[in-house]
Amino acid sequence: MAKVKKAPRPKAQAPKGFRDYFGVEVTERNEMLQKIAGVYHRYGFDALESSAVETVEALGKFLPDVDRPNEGVFAWQEDETADWLALRYDLTAPLARVYAENRNELPTPYRRYAMGPVWRNEKPGPGRFRQFYQCDADTVGAPSVAADAEICAMLSDTLEVVGIERGDYIVRVNNRKVLNGVMEVCGIAGEDKSAERGIVLRAIDKLDRLGADGVRALLGEGRKDESGDFTKGAGLSAEQAEIVMGFMSAKRDSGAVTAARLSELVKGSEVGETGVQELLTIAELLEAQGYGSDRIEIDPSIVRGLGYYTGPVYEAELTFEIKDEKGRPRNFGSVAGGGRYDDLVKRFTGQEVPATGVSIGVDRLLAALRMKGRVESHSAGPVVVTVMDKDRMSDYQAMVVELRNAGIRAEVYLGNPKNFGNQLKYADKRNSPIAIIEGGEEKENGIIQIKDLILGAKIAESATREEWQDRPSQYEVPRSELIAKVREILESQA
């Protein structure tokens, strides 16, 4: 008789590009998001939870490509006649669909914030996951750049509320229309020049890495890197390249002076001059509200998403130093960005609907807060009531109820109570601050033992014998004083 081949056991590991988040990590993230939501709420934004699944057609960025319309997203088709569906890749595309679908019932402007996971079907790498959290706030239906200025002010307030001190961040603002004006003045604004514009945009974005000389080379004939690889340039003349270089170096000490310099560069371009005026208005509005250049500044070097945004763009950068994987100092970098996208809702309605918004990289911001020691997480585990006699479980459960009713996080040990040492090991793994002990003798005498696990660990690490005797970590108190003593110990640990 042939042996039945056993099915292989599944591997107990998360799929590539995904990870699990445990207690403290989830708590820290939730506490940070609550603070962010508090700022958004004060600014008058309403919460929105949209579907995690959208049609590929509604997502828009990833349209059907022959028979594989899921480039960049996780997509599937329930049958050959059904729409392709996909997990959302950001929170903005779903907002456009929600607004278009409900625009007759929603107020105009519509101000919403959203927080949740998004999914991207792209190659994972160190610190780059296929599922991650985003935290967005958007205003739909407001054409005035006052809405953009408000988003920038709110972003500044948000960073400070979660624990990034003033001086450790800067919100930089630019405008797509200004860059369009620069392209127009350079003579590369037409449809037939789209390839050259793409090279110019990518070159500008590499300024920090390549420096001015490297960017200038890419604007011209091209650049050969250290390995000998050659990257073809945009083919601009020296005069054209200098206009672009002047744009990137146009930042001055104040928004007004920066705008004046930009105005010189785009002179003769209507769209460019409109963009400069919008930047000047944003600077004036922010200054009137008390947001100086130490918090928000006009910076032409910000070129994020310029193929997507239609007007002002902004980026929040953390300016304090960290060490990279090779121990070299560098700035932490960007944690949030956004801008004006007046064409997104138009895909559904056929009419242009102005919109502007910002997205915060939750994991990056949380990592920055940890580096700065600004994460205020209640990471302590529950008070653990140990089980000395399994036949008296009702007594221990009554004790836990008393603690919980007093607002104290607590649990009864529900493993095998035979080995008391294992119960304390469990409490240690749970990062429990206190263990409660009541054996038969304590029960008869109306007392309990309360063990300060945090102090006990500290004493075990460093105390002398005399200090051990002077600083007991276990207390014997009447049963009636359970709550009072537990609170006293918890306050001493805070």
Side-chain angles (χ1 to χ4, degrees):
M1 183 176 178
K3 290 184 178 180
V4 178
K5 189 176 181 180
K6 290 184 178 179
R9 292 175 179 170
K11 290 183 179 180
Q13 63 182 39
K16 190 175 182 180
F18 295 85
R19 59 158 297 193
D20 304 306
Y21 297 85
F22 293 91
V24 173
E25 294 174 298
V26 175
T27 300
E28 289 174 348
R29 182 175 64 202
N30 288 343
E31 289 179 352
M32 184 184 76
L33 290 176
Q34 285 175 8
K35 292 177 182 178
I36 294 173
V39 178
Y40 291 172
H41 189 73
R42 285 200 302 275
Y43 270 74
F45 287 73
D46 290 331
L48 171 68
E49 287 189 12
S50 62
S51 170
V53 177
E54 297 280 346
T55 65
V56 169
E57 183 183 19
L59 284 175
K61 184 178 178 182
F62 302 102
L63 294 175
D65 175 18
V66 192
D67 60 348
R68 185 177 180 267
N70 57 339
E71 183 69 30
V73 297
F74 291 98
W76 65 94
Q77 189 179 31
E78 293 181 356
D79 59 60
E80 291 183 0
T81 62
D83 290 333
W84 278 85
L85 304 178
L87 291 171
R88 65 191 181 199
Y89 62 83
D90 71 1
L91 298 176
T92 309
L95 169 64
R97 190 268 305 162
V98 168
Y99 182 80
E101 185 178 0
N102 301 279
R103 62 189 181 281
N104 293 331
E105 290 76 38
L106 292 173
T108 300
Y110 174 52
R111 301 151 69 85
R112 85 88 174 88
Y113 69 88
M115 302 174 177
V118 298
W119 296 265
R120 296 190 182 175
N121 187 6
E122 54 192 18
K123 186 177 180 180
R128 187 181 183 89
F129 296 98
R130 289 170 164 174
Q131 175 182 319
F132 52 94
Y133 251 73
Q134 283 191 339
C135 175
D136 289 17
D138 297 79
T139 299
V140 182
S144 169
V145 292
D148 301 278
E150 180 184 58
I151 292 286
C152 292
M154 186 170 70
L155 179 55
S156 173
D157 288 352
T158 298
L159 293 174
E160 293 185 15
V161 164
V162 300
I164 303 297
E165 292 181 337
R166 201 170 302 181
D168 277 344
Y169 75 90
I170 191 72
V171 178
R172 306 185 195 277
V173 188
N174 193 9
N175 196 313
R176 169 64 194 264
K177 294 175 184 176
V178 178
L179 187 52
N180 285 348
V182 169
M183 300 295 178
E184 195 172 292
V185 171
C186 284
I188 55 172
E191 285 297 322
D192 59 327
K193 300 291 185 181
S194 60
E196 289 87 341
R197 283 199 305 277
I199 295 173
V200 170
L201 289 174
R202 289 190 292 273
I204 293 173
D205 200 30
K206 295 175 181 176
L207 178 63
D208 288 343
R209 184 163 61 86
L210 301 181
D213 290 341
V215 171
R216 186 178 279 105
L218 288 175
L219 296 177
E221 294 304 314
R223 175 181 177 272
K224 183 181 290 187
D225 63 21
E226 294 176 357
S227 67
D229 290 339
F230 182 79
T231 303
K232 184 182 177 182
L236 302 188
S237 68
E239 292 77 11
Q240 290 173 311
E242 282 310 309
I243 295 173
V244 177
M245 297 303 296
F247 167 77
M248 287 188 292
S249 61
K251 183 176 174 294
R252 300 294 187 266
D253 292 336
S254 72
V257 180
T258 300
R261 172 58 180 146
L262 289 172
S263 186
E264 294 172 359
L265 292 169
V266 298
K267 190 173 182 179
S269 168
E270 183 178 349
V271 66
E273 291 174 353
T274 299
V276 171
Q277 185 56 50
E278 288 180 355
L279 284 178
L280 188 58
T281 301
I282 290 172
E284 290 171 348
L285 288 170
L286 290 169
E287 187 175 350
Q289 298 173 60
Y291 295 87
S293 59
D294 61 326
R295 304 167 76 182
I296 306 172
E297 66 179 10
I298 306 300
D299 188 345
S301 69
I302 299 303
V303 295
R304 57 169 292 112
L306 288 176
Y308 173 80
Y309 295 114
T310 58
V313 292
Y314 22 88
E315 184 170 283
E317 179 186 346
L318 303 190
T319 55
F320 59 84
E321 278 194 354
I322 61 170
K323 297 289 180 66
D324 65 14
E325 63 277 3
K326 295 183 179 179
R328 298 170 300 194
R330 64 177 180 86
N331 283 353
F332 188 91
S334 174
V335 294
R340 178 164 287 274
Y341 52 97
D342 289 345
D343 294 336
L344 198 60
V345 180
K346 184 179 180 180
R347 295 178 50 250
F348 297 95
T349 65
Q351 300 173 333
E352 187 173 282
V353 178
T356 187
V358 67
S359 180
I360 294 176
V362 173
D363 293 327
R364 279 188 60 77
L365 181 54
L366 192 54
L369 291 171
R370 289 193 186 108
M371 288 180 181
K372 297 292 285 184
R374 301 289 166 75
V375 176
E376 297 177 5
S377 173
H378 305 293
S379 58
V383 171
V384 172
V385 177
T386 60
V387 176
M388 306 302 291
D389 183 349
K390 62 182 180 181
D391 294 330
R392 291 182 41 241
M393 184 61 76
S394 59
D395 289 342
Y396 302 129
Q397 292 286 7
M399 206 177 295
V400 158
V401 168
E402 192 176 332
L403 287 162
R404 291 170 181 164
N405 288 342
I408 298 169
R409 189 181 182 208
E411 66 172 82
V412 174
Y413 178 74
L414 296 177
N416 187 345
K418 189 174 182 180
N419 188 321
F420 179 68
N422 286 343
Q423 297 193 52
L424 292 184
K425 287 180 182 178
Y426 170 81
D428 183 55
K429 275 193 173 182
R430 297 283 279 131
N431 199 26
S432 299
I434 292 171
I436 309 296
I437 305 166
E438 186 190 58
E441 186 176 336
E442 284 88 3
K443 175 70 173 177
E444 287 181 13
N445 295 323
I447 60 173
I448 53 173
Q449 304 287 339
I450 301 181
K451 190 172 184 64
D452 183 338
L453 298 176
I454 305 298
L455 178 59
K458 289 180 180 177
I459 291 174
E461 280 179 4
S462 59
T464 64
R465 181 174 182 179
E466 291 74 19
E467 288 174 327
W468 187 289
Q469 293 171 338
D470 292 340
R471 298 168 61 197
S473 61
Q474 186 163 314
Y475 308 88
E476 183 177 279
V477 300
R479 169 67 178 80
S480 60
E481 296 181 12
L482 166 67
I483 301 300
K485 189 61 181 178
V486 168
R487 279 183 171 152
E488 177 187 319
I489 294 172
L490 290 176
E491 287 174 5
S492 72
Q493 293 173 347

